C-alpha cells in the first residue's frame, strides 16, 4: 500500500495575507499602546491634505481594537475567503477588499466626522453577501441571497437605530452592499 504524503499549501494567498497583516497590525497596536492604529490603521476625519488620510481610507481594515475583535473578523474571513478566492480568483477578491475598504472609509469620513473606524467588519460583510450570491445564473436571484441580505443587513439597520455600541453598523451595511454589487458583476462576467 502506497503512503500518501500530506503537505501544507498556501491555498488562499490574498485571504491568508490579509489575515497575517491584520494580526501584525493588531500586535503593533498592542505594543504601541494604540499609536499605530491612530497613525495607520484607523480612519477618522483628518485633513485631506494629509497623505495618511488617503492611505487610511484603505488601511483601516487591517487595524482592530483588540484580540476579540480580530478573532471574530478573522474567523469569518478564513471560513468564507478561501472558497470565494478559489471561485473568483485572487485578483477579484483583492479588488473586493480594496473597494470595500475605500467605500467604508469614505462613507465614514463624510457621514460620521466624529467617529474613528477600524476593523475588517465591512470586508467580512462583503464576503458574506458575495458568498450568498455565488450560484447566481442569468436572470435569477437565489432565495438564499434574499434571505441573507434581509437578515444580515436588516439586523444592521435595526441595531444601528436602536443599539448604542462601538460597532460600526454603517461599515457592515456598506460592506454588504459592495459584496452584493461585486457578486452581481463577477457572476455576470462568468
Amino acid at each position: 500500500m502506497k503512503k500518501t504524503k500530506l503537505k501544507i499549501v498556501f491555498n488562499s494567498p490574498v485571504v491568508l495575507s490579509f489575515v497575517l497583516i491584520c494580526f501584525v497590525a493588531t500586535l503593533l497596536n498592542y505594543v504601541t499602546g494604540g499609536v499605530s492604529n491612530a497613525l495607520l490603521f484607523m480612519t477618522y476625519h483628518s485633513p485631506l491634505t494629509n497623505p495618511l488620510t488617503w492611505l487610511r481610507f484603505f488601511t483601516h481594515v487591517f487595524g482592530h481594537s483588540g484580540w476579540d475583535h480580530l478573532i471574530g473578523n478573522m474567523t469569518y474571513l478564513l471560513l468564507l475567503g478561501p472558497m470565494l478566492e478559489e471561485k473568483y480568483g485572487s485578483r477579484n477578491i483583492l479588488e473586493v477588499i480594496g473597494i470595500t475598504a475605500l467605500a467604508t472609509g469614505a462613507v465614514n469620513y463624510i457621514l460620521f466626522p466624529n467617529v474613528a473606524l477600524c476593523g475588517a467588519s465591512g470586508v467580512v460583510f462583503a464576503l458574506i453577501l458575495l458568498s450568498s450570491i455565488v450560484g447566481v445564473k442569468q436572470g435569477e436571484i437565489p432565495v438564499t441571497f434574499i434571505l441573507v441580505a434581509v437578515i444580515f443587513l436588516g439586523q444592521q439597520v435595526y441595531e444601528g437605530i436602536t443599539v448604542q455600541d462601538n460597532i460600526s453598523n454603517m461599515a457592515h451595511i456598506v460592506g454588504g452592499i459592495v459584496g452584493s454589487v461585486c457578486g452581481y458583476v463577477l457572476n455576470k462576467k462568468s
Side-chain angles (χ1 to χ4, degrees):
M1 184 180 243
K2 188 177 181 179
K3 288 186 179 181
T4 305
K5 271 190 162 180
L6 295 177
K7 62 181 179 177
I8 296 174
V9 294
F10 201 70
N11 63 321
S12 185
V14 169
V15 171
L16 290 170
S17 297
F18 186 86
V19 168
L20 180 62
I21 293 168
C22 289
F23 174 78
V24 170
T26 304
L27 183 62
L28 275 172
N29 185 55
Y30 179 75
V31 169
T32 64
V35 172
S36 65
N37 265 10
L39 184 63
L40 295 173
F41 304 118
M42 182 182 292
T43 187
Y44 46 86
H45 210 272
S46 56
L48 290 174
T49 54
N50 180 347
L52 289 178
T53 300
W54 295 95
L55 179 66
R56 287 188 294 258
F57 279 148
F58 294 96
T59 60
H60 72 277
V61 297
F62 300 128
H64 287 79
S65 61
W67 297 109
D68 288 341
H69 187 206
L70 174 75
I71 290 167
N73 281 336
M74 296 309 104
T75 301
Y76 279 107
L77 284 169
L78 290 168
L79 284 170
L80 298 170
M83 166 190 68
L84 294 169
E85 193 168 341
E86 185 178 325
K87 169 144 175 82
Y88 294 116
S90 297
R91 181 179 177 169
N92 285 326
I93 294 304
L94 185 60
E95 288 174 0
V96 169
I97 291 170
I99 292 166
T100 303
L102 179 60
T104 55
V107 169
N108 188 72
Y109 186 90
I110 294 165
L111 297 181
F112 303 98
N114 298 322
V115 176
L117 177 67
C118 74
S121 303
V123 173
V124 166
F125 270 75
L127 296 186
I128 288 170
L129 272 288
L130 181 60
S131 69
S132 69
I133 204 166
V134 162
V136 168
K137 294 178 180 78
Q138 191 68 25
E140 296 178 355
I141 299 175
V143 172
T144 52
F145 169 74
I146 295 168
L147 290 173
V148 167
V150 169
I151 291 168
F152 275 93
L153 295 179
Q155 176 190 22
Q156 295 310 304
V157 170
Y158 173 76
E159 288 180 2
I161 294 168
T162 63
V163 178
Q164 294 297 319
D165 56 18
N166 282 336
I167 297 173
S168 177
N169 301 96
M170 172 282 301
H172 298 170
I173 293 166
V174 171
I177 292 168
V178 169
S180 300
V181 170
C182 287
Y184 176 77
V185 169
L186 289 170
N187 281 308
K188 197 170 182 180
K189 283 183 184 178
S190 61

